[in-house]
Amino acid sequence: MTAKNIPVSPPPTLRVSVRSTSGEQRAFQFSSSFRIGRALDCEVQIDEDIVSRNHAEVTYKNGAWWIRDLDSSNGIYAGQDRFDRISVRNEITITLGVHGPKVSLEVLPARVSEEPVAGTDTIVAGYVDHYFGKAKGEEGFGEHTLFIRKAFA
């Protein structure tokens, strides 16, 4: 069985804050994969010697954001621990190299629309009227409708 036509929700927005070793701070927001590094084509470009050209990649897979070291020279640290790959559950701060710039990543909560989907109330009202509305006898109704009416009578 294949998973066709299953709606895939977009990834939640990821807020990224970079604090350089000199104290300069920058902020970004992403809703798709991006790279962190010294190279000009990195979406988060950090021009410091301790940062590799392509230091890390941040991707969204299996319902979570992940940070992956791209075989950088100085590694990625969370606290004192070096890692190759780690998930961003709610928020995490990593260091590029032991004493390099700090990168904070925070998963922003999804915005839920308070507006009902257009036509939803009309559709529901139609079902309520069909199954539970005042009927003139039980003629003209199918077996399923009669079953529902008896079950909730």
Side-chain angles (χ1 to χ4, degrees):
M1 180 175 179
T2 60
K4 290 184 180 179
N5 299 326
I6 296 175
V8 177
S9 60
T13 301
L14 190 66
R15 179 184 296 149
V16 180
S17 301
V18 178
R19 191 173 76 230
S20 68
T21 54
S22 66
E24 178 188 344
Q25 210 158 345
R26 293 180 295 148
F28 306 87
Q29 287 192 1
F30 294 96
S31 56
S32 61
S33 300
F34 62 96
R35 287 177 302 134
I36 302 170
R38 213 174 60 239
L40 294 175
D41 62 341
C42 287
E43 290 81 2
V44 177
Q45 200 262 336
I46 304 171
D47 191 19
E48 293 196 31
D49 290 340
I50 199 165
V51 178
S52 293
R53 283 187 289 277
N54 291 291
H55 203 107
E57 179 181 46
V58 181
T59 57
Y60 188 77
K61 290 184 180 175
N62 300 324
W65 284 101
W66 292 87
I67 308 164
R68 182 173 62 94
D69 189 339
L70 296 174
D71 297 322
S72 64
S73 299
N74 295 306
I76 297 175
Y77 291 81
Q80 300 299 315
D81 300 323
R82 186 173 179 163
F83 62 88
D84 292 325
R85 185 173 180 230
I86 191 168
S87 67
V88 181
R89 293 291 176 207
N90 293 317
E91 187 173 357
I92 190 171
T93 298
I94 61 169
T95 306
L96 304 178
V98 177
H99 301 291
K102 298 201 179 300
V103 179
S104 297
L105 301 104
E106 177 188 6
V107 179
L108 300 179
R111 291 187 177 193
V112 178
S113 173
E114 293 183 19
E115 296 292 319
V117 177
T120 304
D121 292 338
T122 305
I123 293 170
V124 171
Y127 281 114
V128 169
D129 185 53
H130 179 77
Y131 287 113
F132 305 108
K134 301 236 188 251
K136 298 175 185 172
E138 293 185 357
E139 296 175 11
F141 293 107
E143 184 178 340
H144 185 257
T145 300
L146 296 174
F147 177 75
I148 295 292
R149 285 185 175 193
K150 286 178 184 175
F152 291 94

